[in-house]
Amino acid sequence: MNASTIGAAVGAVLALTWVAFGFWAFLFVGLAMLAGLGVGRLVRGDIDLHGLVQALQGRRTSS
């Protein structure tokens, strides 16, 4: 699947959630999707967790 198809599917899920269950369910589903994206990238190795923690603690720059 390409990025346009995935974006359309995510938008449809969020829109249907908002219509069916309201704003707070929409917000929860959106945050859960973002958390899933982060975990997926962490597992795949796209995110250096140790470097991220050090950058948040101010021990090194993000570049």
Side-chain angles (χ1 to χ4, degrees):
M1 292 196 326
N2 62 21
S4 297
T5 305
I6 293 171
V10 168
V13 166
L14 289 174
L16 290 173
T17 301
W18 189 324
V19 168
F21 302 110
F23 173 76
W24 294 110
F26 159 80
L27 190 62
F28 176 75
V29 170
L31 290 174
M33 286 177 158
L34 285 175
L37 175 69
V39 169
R41 287 188 175 184
L42 185 65
V43 168
R44 196 169 64 183
D46 292 343
I47 299 175
D48 176 23
L49 186 59
H50 183 67
L52 179 63
V53 169
Q54 284 186 342
L56 291 174
Q57 292 175 343
R59 295 185 183 169
R60 91 176 205 190
T61 62
S62 60
S63 60

